[in-house]
Amino acid sequence: MCGDDRVEGFIEPDASDVDSAFSDNNSTVYTESLRSSFLQSVRENGRGYHKYSDGKYLIPEDEQEQERLDMQHEIFLITMHRKLYHAPISPDVQHVLDLGTGTGIWAIDFADQHSSAQVLGIDLSPIQPSWIPPNCKFELDDYEKQWTFVQKFDFIHARMLMGSIADEKNLFRQAYDNLAPGGWIEMQDFSLPVRADDDTMKGTAFEELNTKFMAGLEMIGRDGRAPEKYKQLLTEAGFENVVELRYKWPQNQWPKDKHLKTLGQWNMVNTLDGLYGFSARLLTQVLGMSMEELETLLAKCRDDIKNPRIHAYWPILVTYAQKPLAAEDRAEV
């Protein structure tokens, strides 16, 4: 592939080693070997387990999930050719806000790369490390509540918020009001459902799981396809210079293209590590599945996730936009 490796068309599957790869992929040794190699360079925070913020976040935030989040950070870096963002922000950016910062790895990396910036990461859980750059700090905060920041930001970043936003219009209105004129917002997100551009996912347990994800999110007022609407919603919020970039994360190593095959290998481990956490609360507490039903479905899904005959991928959307330079503060309602 060339350029920035955005993928919007059909991906050619690798037919040369499907049988042998599928055999290998069913091996726990193979999967554990991949996981071990990928996690060797991942930053370990060593923090204790933190329970859900009730009703706000459906995914666990224990050490296993923190490791997965840091691995997912590396997948984004591979996707974006080691860039933390695409928005054309000023090299000497001053005030930066990272929404839903998680382990804080993006905020820390950004602070290391931009000594001029004061970087604030906010999250519902205090799982960030204490060893951080002097120009980076973390606060316990809920970005869905009324923002009370004293300063305007030059750049607002958010990643993988799908499923945790109840009101995207309100989020973008608050972002607009808390950006300085000319400031930028960038959303890096995943849109449900996981899908395939051919029929290889049809009738699988993994397709069933994704259908349940969509139904469960709808029941709690969330939209699994919301990232595909960010461009329109940002425009409606008053932003200009709105740009949307689309990528695909293959579900395993099924593509022929080497770059996409590598992404697929990483994303297979990413998905397997997060599968129970993604599913448990939503499917049992919202959809009413029993734990036995859940475990049976997930066992079948794990086989599907590792099967290179199933050409599934995650749609990844990076959308950035600028507050007009001539923008005036809106009156408080």
Side-chain angles (χ1 to χ4, degrees):
M1 301 185 71
C2 60
D4 60 8
D5 289 340
R6 278 176 282 157
V7 181
E8 298 187 42
F10 185 78
I11 301 175
E12 182 182 0
D14 186 358
S16 64
D17 62 348
V18 166
D19 291 335
S20 62
F22 184 47
S23 175
D24 287 343
N25 275 351
N26 275 324
S27 164
T28 301
V29 175
Y30 174 79
T31 303
E32 289 302 321
S33 176
L34 277 175
R35 180 179 291 108
S36 176
S37 66
F38 293 161
L39 291 178
Q40 282 178 359
S41 60
V42 171
R43 185 181 291 124
E44 299 278 349
N45 287 329
R47 307 299 296 269
Y49 177 81
H50 295 277
K51 294 182 180 179
Y52 300 105
S53 295
D54 192 28
K56 285 288 186 180
Y57 195 61
L58 295 169
I59 300 176
E61 295 175 341
D62 54 16
E63 291 184 14
Q64 179 180 345
E65 175 63 8
Q66 291 171 39
E67 290 180 350
R68 189 197 67 80
L69 288 172
D70 285 352
M71 175 171 25
Q72 189 170 256
H73 176 72
E74 177 63 22
I75 300 175
F76 266 103
L77 290 177
I78 294 172
T79 303
M80 298 170 59
H81 295 277
R82 315 312 296 178
K83 294 181 179 179
L84 292 172
Y85 56 89
H86 280 317
I89 63 174
S90 170
D92 58 350
V93 62
Q94 298 293 307
H95 297 288
V96 178
L97 175 64
D98 186 29
L99 303 174
T101 194
T103 66
I105 191 169
W106 184 93
I108 291 169
D109 283 359
F110 189 96
D112 280 337
Q113 293 181 18
H114 298 80
S115 59
S116 65
Q118 295 296 317
V119 183
L120 171 62
I122 64 171
D123 201 273
L124 292 171
S125 294
I127 59 174
Q128 302 78 34
S130 56
W131 34 269
I132 58 176
N135 59 328
C136 179
K137 67 176 182 178
F138 298 108
E139 294 180 359
L140 195 67
D141 203 351
D142 182 353
Y143 58 73
E144 294 215 278
K145 293 182 179 179
Q146 185 66 33
W147 294 12
T148 57
F149 302 111
V150 296
Q151 80 283 349
K152 300 286 187 180
F153 295 97
D154 304 302
F155 185 36
I156 296 176
H157 168 269
R159 189 166 68 187
M160 292 305 214
L161 298 189
M162 187 279 297
S164 65
I165 308 173
D167 187 345
E168 289 84 8
K169 290 184 178 180
N170 182 63
L171 176 67
F172 292 151
R173 178 190 63 79
Q174 295 215 83
Y176 184 99
D177 292 343
N178 284 268
L179 277 169
W184 292 86
I185 180 174
E186 179 161 317
M187 305 291 293
Q188 302 173 5
D189 222 329
F190 153 58
S191 182
L192 276 173
V194 176
R195 62 199 71 167
D197 292 332
D198 54 21
D199 293 332
T200 55
M201 196 170 165
K202 188 171 294 184
T204 65
F206 197 39
E207 181 184 53
E208 178 185 350
L209 179 64
N210 275 270
T211 299
K212 291 184 181 299
F213 280 158
M214 298 292 286
L217 287 171
E218 184 177 359
M219 289 178 67
I220 60 172
R222 305 291 194 269
D223 182 1
R225 292 185 182 270
E228 298 178 52
K229 304 174 185 177
Y230 287 168
K231 182 177 181 180
Q232 175 185 343
L233 293 174
L234 286 166
T235 300
E236 292 174 354
F239 289 94
E240 60 184 16
N241 299 321
V242 185
V243 175
E244 178 190 86
L245 305 175
R246 293 188 176 227
Y247 300 93
K248 293 180 180 180
W249 285 0
Q251 190 55 84
N252 55 52
Q253 77 278 18
W254 65 262
K256 184 176 182 179
D257 178 86
K258 290 183 178 180
H259 174 75
L260 291 173
K261 186 182 289 291
T262 298
L263 278 176
Q265 290 174 325
W266 281 81
N267 194 36
M268 182 180 72
V269 177
N270 177 46
T271 308
L272 291 172
D273 280 4
L275 189 64
Y276 182 86
F278 299 156
S279 310
R281 222 181 190 201
L282 188 63
L283 270 62
T284 59
Q285 296 187 16
V286 178
L287 293 181
M289 291 182 68
S290 68
M291 288 304 300
E292 292 77 13
E293 291 171 328
L294 175 66
E295 292 290 2
T296 298
L297 178 60
L298 295 187
K300 296 176 181 177
C301 286
R302 291 184 183 99
D303 287 340
D304 291 343
I305 288 165
K306 294 182 286 186
N307 185 353
R309 295 191 184 96
I310 299 175
H311 304 151
Y313 64 88
W314 292 24
I316 302 294
L317 292 92
V318 177
T319 311
Y320 59 88
Q322 185 179 30
K323 181 174 180 175
L325 283 166
E328 297 181 359
D329 289 341
R330 289 186 276 220
E332 294 291 334
V333 178

